[in-house]
Amino acid sequence: MGLMKVFSGSEVLAIALQQRLEEAGVETAKKDNIQSARLGGFGQTDLAVEVFIQETDFAKANPVIEDFRMSI
């Protein structure tokens, strides 16, 4: 299986979701497109921070993700 994107948005919200998922025992990966663009010399504002999980963890992560989405 592979990685599955579960969130794309601001860095603050991405970190908050990432913490909730890790507290629930789900490993996450974060891709910061904003920081990558800045380091590469591209100042784009339409890029976002993305949070990924393993596809096999989706059943465990889905309730956490839905609760998070309802709280924002």
Side-chain angles (χ1 to χ4, degrees), residues 13 16-17 20 64-72:
L13 292 176
L17 176 59
R20 287 187 187 191
V64 176
I65 295 166
E66 290 303 316
D67 183 53
F68 177 77
R69 288 186 179 166
M70 296 301 289
S71 71
I72 56 172

Side-chain angles (χ1 to χ4, degrees), residues 3-71:
L3 292 177
M4 167 185 218
K5 181 169 58 171
V6 294
F7 179 81
S8 179
S10 75
E11 184 175 16
V12 172
L13 292 176
I15 291 170
L17 176 59
Q18 191 175 23
Q19 288 175 340
R20 287 187 187 191
L21 288 168
E22 289 177 356
E23 287 172 1
V26 177
E27 290 187 36
T28 64
K30 183 176 76 166
K31 180 179 178 188
D32 190 341
N33 294 316
I34 298 168
Q35 184 68 11
S36 295
R38 186 175 17 206
L39 291 173
F42 307 103
Q44 296 182 0
T45 58
D46 61 336
L47 300 175
V49 177
E50 300 170 330
V51 176
F52 295 86
I53 62 169
Q54 289 291 330
E55 289 178 352
T56 54
D57 290 335
F58 182 72
K60 188 186 335 181
N62 192 44
V64 176
I65 295 166
E66 290 303 316
D67 183 53
F68 177 77
R69 288 186 179 166
M70 296 301 289
S71 71

